[in-house]
Amino acid sequence: MRVARWLLPVLAWVSSGAHAADVRFEDARAALPVAHVYSGGWEHFVGGGLATFDCNGDGFPEMYAAGGAGPARLFVNRTAGRGEALAFDLGTDLPELTGVTGAYPLDVDNDGILDLAVLRVGPNVLLRGEGDCRFSDATSEFGFEAGDRWSTAFSATWETGNDLPTLAVGNYVDRTDPDGPFEACDVNELHRPDGAAFRAPELLEPGFCALSMLFSDWTRTGARDLRVSNDRHYYVRGGSEQMWRMGDRPRLLGAEDGWEDISIWGMGIASRDLNDDGRPDLVLTSMADQLTLLSDGRSGYRLAPYEIGTFAQRPHLGDDGRPSTGWTAQFGDVDNDGRDDLFIAKGNVDQMPTNAINDPNNLLIRQADGTFSEASVEAGVATTDRSRGAVLADFDGDGRQDLAVVNRRAPMELYRNVTEGTGAWLTIAPRQQGANGYGVGSWLEVRLPDGRVAAREVTVGGYHVSGRSVPEHFGLGDAAHVDLRVIWPDGATSGWVTVPVNQSIQVWRRGDAELDIDPQD
């Protein structure tokens, strides 16, 4: 197979000394205290998110799973120790909410404890984290206008000079439109702070039924703009993916800005630097093709070649030739060989006859030539329920990323990564005092012994209503140590610091930009 030009720069490092392991997961659903299901009628055809974060400070991440018509649930991680069998209890010290489509963890009030932005069919909710996995409804206290829409997308960033974050909320169909649901997409919202509370939202119009959005420094210029992925099933015509340039007034980019319209049934956004130019590349999930967009090294993107192996447009099991439906996509190095892999949650909207019904999830393992190869069957995760939200996260602290998946009208799935012969790893959590204590908008750069630099942006948003705030996981192959630096959200850049591998660390900002390394045992 001819290797595409963009793959050539990575061949030197990925083919030299990196581990090659047969990826395996074991079914760990018995660790969940209840069989959790995302349920409901047409208002829950979309949604079904899974938020992942550590709410009690023990280093083992929890999960908050959307329930749709049923209750959302907090699963508190009670795993006894590193590498031990997974165990979860139900969290009980938080408001019981129904109508939840998804949630995103972030520290809204800068107290060092993660809060939850909860999206719903109905009024959205800001849950204040109070420590030890306790939460209270602080929506009114924050001055957050909850609305009464059908919210299905979210992202957050910290704009210069503000203590509170800027929150973007994406809404789906306008349920009050008597001519809906087709061509009845609702507006989106930008909630900006005014001191210690949020002011009335700015409406981002037109809306085209947003199902994912992400603030990111797309061009590595220090400007964080908002990308919105929209569902063509409902905007039908005249709509496309969107990019809002942030400023005193948000501005929708168009052809005059070099923005190229893409019209897809957009479901989710996954971001990772794949071509080693230091800028985020994208996978956009959809009905049929899961588009991979690669940065062109300047200010734009180009479509990756089909041979990359990420388009995943048909079921890879059975004889159903109808298009697949992708939802949450997430990158993660499941075998720690230094090459990021890709999980895509798949599932029919409900009984949509134009698309595959038995639509297996994808686990795409990146190969030494930069392409991706399907491994979900061998790995044991190729289930065919209607999957929605998902997360790759290290639930048992052994350095291997595990997997959880929320399903519509079927029980939630949990898998423990038991792959043997994996490579080295490092997880990094940036921290700073004061506003934006979790360093959202930071870039983590890890320099390997061969000189390659892996760049990772800390963001809140993307996926499909599935938020995550866990340390950034780097698979490192055969490396024994790496160099690390942090480019903080205000652009201040630390010096390089050498750290050993196979550990979890917090990286605290000291002074203007330098680092204090705090190992997490």
Side-chain angles (χ1 to χ4, degrees):
M1 179 179 67
R2 184 176 66 87
V3 178
R5 183 178 299 276
W6 74 269
L7 294 172
L8 295 178
V10 302
L11 292 180
W13 78 269
V14 296
S15 60
S16 57
H19 278 72
D22 293 329
V23 177
R24 295 289 184 271
F25 288 83
E26 66 178 16
D27 192 332
R29 276 174 279 197
L32 299 174
V34 296
H36 180 79
V37 176
Y38 182 70
S39 63
W42 74 283
E43 291 176 323
H44 296 292
F45 282 173
V46 298
L50 181 64
T52 311
F53 60 112
D54 181 2
C55 59
N56 55 16
D58 66 356
F60 294 93
E62 277 70 48
M63 297 182 285
Y64 183 79
R73 290 189 171 102
L74 176 65
F75 294 95
V76 179
N77 196 334
R78 301 300 189 194
T79 302
R82 179 174 294 185
E84 298 292 332
L86 297 181
F88 288 85
D89 289 340
L90 275 180
T92 58
D93 203 346
L94 74 169
E96 182 173 304
L97 296 173
T98 59
V100 173
T101 58
Y104 287 80
L106 74 164
D107 185 4
V108 176
D109 55 2
N110 302 307
D111 65 353
I113 301 172
L114 289 168
D115 312 303
L116 273 177
V118 181
L119 305 182
R120 301 175 69 225
V121 179
N124 296 322
V125 177
L126 293 183
L127 294 179
R128 183 198 299 278
E130 298 178 344
D132 199 25
C133 294
R134 294 176 290 113
F135 294 87
S136 61
D137 187 340
T139 310
S140 299
E141 184 179 343
F142 285 126
F144 181 79
E145 189 172 305
D148 190 20
R149 303 183 190 274
W150 180 356
S151 297
T152 49
F154 181 87
S155 191
T157 189
W158 266 259
E159 296 185 272
T160 302
N162 291 333
D163 287 339
L164 295 184
T166 292
L167 310 180
V169 176
N171 299 308
Y172 202 52
V173 168
D174 182 354
R175 296 172 296 144
T176 67
D177 190 329
D179 297 324
F182 291 99
E183 298 183 76
C185 293
D186 210 340
V187 299
N188 300 323
E189 308 161 27
L190 192 67
H191 298 256
R192 281 174 152 162
D194 181 9
F198 293 96
R199 60 180 187 242
E202 304 170 55
L203 300 184
L204 302 180
E205 301 180 87
F208 294 124
C209 293
L211 287 177
S212 189
M213 49 179 43
L214 181 62
F215 280 112
S216 177
D217 183 2
W218 304 103
T219 58
R220 292 299 299 268
T221 59
R224 295 168 190 90
D225 297 321
L226 179 67
R227 186 180 187 112
V228 185
S229 193
N230 297 302
D231 186 358
R232 190 170 67 188
H233 180 62
Y234 280 104
Y235 64 70
V236 182
R237 55 180 174 269
S240 66
E241 303 289 283
Q242 296 170 305
M243 182 76 81
W244 290 90
R245 174 68 43 79
M246 291 295 104
D248 291 339
R249 293 184 178 180
R251 182 174 66 86
L252 186 61
L253 298 190
E256 67 278 8
D257 303 293
W259 175 255
E260 182 178 350
D261 279 346
I262 299 175
S263 294
I264 60 175
W265 291 275
M267 307 292 193
I269 302 172
S271 172
R272 189 59 53 92
D273 179 19
L274 295 177
N275 57 6
D276 295 327
D277 66 354
R279 291 179 50 207
D281 305 300
L282 297 169
V283 166
L284 307 177
T285 57
S286 177
M287 294 181 182
D289 294 330
Q290 323 307 311
L291 298 184
T292 299
L293 302 180
L294 302 170
S295 64
D296 63 8
R298 299 183 300 277
S299 60
Y301 286 83
R302 67 187 186 277
L303 187 65
Y306 179 81
E307 290 82 6
I308 192 175
T310 56
F311 283 71
Q313 79 279 24
R314 296 284 190 275
H316 58 83
L317 286 175
D319 58 2
D320 192 334
R322 290 172 292 182
S324 285
T325 305
W327 299 90
T328 292
Q330 186 175 132
F331 288 103
D333 190 348
V334 297
D335 52 4
N336 290 333
D337 64 358
R339 302 187 289 263
D340 280 308
D341 311 305
L342 177 65
F343 179 82
I344 305 175
K346 294 283 193 66
N348 197 288
V349 173
D350 196 67
Q351 295 289 334
M352 186 173 287
T354 58
N355 285 63
I357 299 298
N358 297 314
D359 197 359
N361 296 329
N362 297 102
L363 181 62
L364 300 169
I365 304 299
R366 200 174 188 197
Q367 306 300 303
D369 65 358
T371 61
F372 291 78
S373 179
E374 181 62 59
S376 60
V377 176
E378 296 81 359
V381 296
T383 52
T384 57
D385 290 323
R386 299 179 187 89
S387 296
R388 293 295 191 265
V391 67
L392 291 167
D394 185 1
F395 292 115
D396 61 358
D398 68 353
R400 295 176 292 187
Q401 291 190 298
D402 309 304
L403 173 66
V405 184
V406 169
N407 296 314
R408 172 169 164 76
R409 294 183 176 172
M412 179 177 167
E413 301 169 32
L414 178 64
Y415 299 95
R416 183 166 177 249
N417 189 337
V418 293
T419 306
E420 297 182 359
T422 56
W425 57 276
L426 182 69
T427 69
I428 306 167
R431 296 287 187 269
Q432 60 182 352
Q433 300 294 335
N436 190 14
Y438 283 74
V440 175
S442 299
W443 283 87
L444 309 179
E445 294 188 341
V446 172
R447 185 169 62 195
L448 280 295
D450 62 8
R452 173 186 172 261
V453 175
R456 187 81 54 80
E457 185 181 20
V458 179
T459 60
V460 176
Y463 313 119
H464 177 62
V465 287
S466 295
R468 61 194 301 270
S469 182
V470 292
E472 292 292 333
H473 176 277
F474 290 82
L476 300 172
D478 290 335
H481 58 81
V482 295
D483 297 327
L484 162 69
R485 74 173 181 180
V486 179
I487 303 172
W488 296 97
D490 61 4
T493 303
S494 76
W496 291 97
V497 176
T498 300
V499 294
V501 301
N502 296 331
Q503 63 170 333
S504 298
I505 60 175
Q506 285 187 349
V507 181
W508 283 90
R509 182 175 184 169
R510 173 168 50 84
D512 184 44
E514 294 310 300
L515 304 180
D516 280 333
I517 307 298
D518 181 12
Q520 304 293 291
D521 294 324

